[in-house]
Amino acid sequence: MNAIKITHYKKEFLTFYELASNININEEERYTIWKQYYGFNPFHREEHSEQLAKEMLIQAFPKYEAALPHILDFEPNEQSIKHYLSVIQEELHAYEPLHATILYFVGDFETDPFIELEDNNSYTLYFPIEREWKPVHFVNELVKVVYLNQLKMNPLQLTNIAFVTFLEGLALHTANLITSSDVGGTTLYPWMAKCQLEPTRIMMNIFPHLRRSDYKAIYSFTKGTGASGYQNEAGFVGWSVIDHLLKRGYTMPELLLIPVERVTTVIEKSLYQIMEESKYIQSQE
């Protein structure tokens, strides 16, 4: 049976923001108030985490005023979350009981949701609420939690570009299907529509990097501009590869069962086939 805990830091953030909005305090005093009343640091596992938190607060604080109505209105919907989780598990045939915490936080308008494996082998999904988001965005992250739990994997093991593309693609397709999004395919996210301008070039340029596992590469192909100048090229390639595999007859549960050690080969083979098909189509035009 699933055991899901849902919590948020909205109250703590609002207390901090009210006290820190005094125009007579300086940045160091504001950071002190932040630590005392809020203090959630999404960089807590990184080197120089305190310095990163200070920089985060400096750049994010001026933006909070405009986001305040959205933050004030936020309330987690436990029934909806448990419904989505049940549908995800049914869609993927991923019936391993999930013990997880959904923790909503106010971030810096740049930090993406992230997942951590706790010491008790449960998972925590950290999800920022300062930006407006649609259910499909949340479900996308919940799919990743279900996948990791089914394979009993630590998110820190996802350090291969090919694996990142696979999981991103699986999550995007599943979330789009489950939420019955009316903005499917390459219009699902703004970055996806932009990547569609040069799909073959993006696939060709990511190919040599698929086996890279360094932080610089992971960041470049997700948050950065990859090898072709577009944001989240890994997500776009993942969407394209999963779409290709589904058209080849795979089902979503079968994709979930692909052994971790085979994922890189599957991604490489699929990309090669997609690019070859693209060349053939162009030659017929």
Side-chain angles (χ1 to χ4, degrees), residues 90-237:
E90 185 66 32
E91 184 66 37
L92 298 179
H93 294 182
Y95 300 117
E96 184 70 21
L98 173 64
H99 292 192
T101 297
I102 312 297
L103 194 156
Y104 296 98
F105 69 97
V106 179
D108 62 351
F109 303 88
E110 298 292 337
T111 301
D112 290 329
F114 60 98
I115 303 163
E116 291 185 348
L117 177 65
E118 307 300 340
D119 292 338
N120 62 357
N121 291 320
S122 68
Y123 292 88
T124 299
L125 168 58
Y126 295 89
F127 199 91
I129 62 170
E130 72 277 7
R131 296 173 295 185
E132 292 195 40
W133 46 275
K134 299 176 181 178
V136 66
H137 300 151
F138 175 78
V139 175
N140 181 59
E141 301 303 320
L142 199 55
V143 172
K144 297 175 187 177
V145 177
V146 170
Y147 179 90
L148 293 168
N149 178 66
Q150 190 69 16
L151 274 65
K152 297 304 176 187
M153 288 184 66
N154 189 322
L156 296 177
Q157 293 175 270
L158 306 182
T159 54
N160 174 296
I161 295 293
F163 204 103
V164 170
T165 63
F166 177 80
L167 183 52
E168 287 293 332
L170 186 71
L172 286 164
H173 273 275
T174 306
N176 195 41
L177 177 66
I178 286 174
T179 58
S180 299
S181 176
D182 59 357
V183 283
T186 54
T187 60
L188 182 58
Y189 292 89
W191 51 261
M192 197 178 284
K194 292 178 181 178
C195 286
Q196 185 58 32
L197 297 173
E198 296 186 283
T200 303
R201 177 169 172 259
I202 290 171
M203 293 178 199
M204 289 179 60
N205 289 343
I206 199 175
F207 201 96
H209 302 277
L210 290 173
R211 294 177 181 265
R212 288 181 62 184
S213 58
D214 55 290
Y215 174 81
K216 181 179 179 180
I218 300 291
Y219 182 90
S220 176
F221 284 100
T222 52
K223 292 286 288 181
T225 52
S228 302
Y230 295 94
Q231 183 187 5
N232 203 0
E233 292 175 9
F236 174 73
V237 171

Side-chain angles (χ1 to χ4, degrees), residues 219-271:
Y219 182 90
S220 176
F221 284 100
T222 52
K223 292 286 288 181
T225 52
S228 302
Y230 295 94
Q231 183 187 5
N232 203 0
E233 292 175 9
F236 174 73
V237 171
W239 171 275
S240 302
V241 166
I242 297 300
D243 187 60
H244 169 79
L245 292 171
L246 292 172
K247 289 176 179 177
R248 286 289 179 105
Y250 274 91
T251 65
M252 297 302 280
E254 287 172 341
L255 292 174
L256 187 77
L257 292 175
I258 294 175
V260 173
E261 60 271 16
R262 285 195 57 233
V263 166
T264 299
T265 301
V266 168
I267 295 293
E268 289 176 335
K269 182 178 179 180
S270 297
L271 276 180

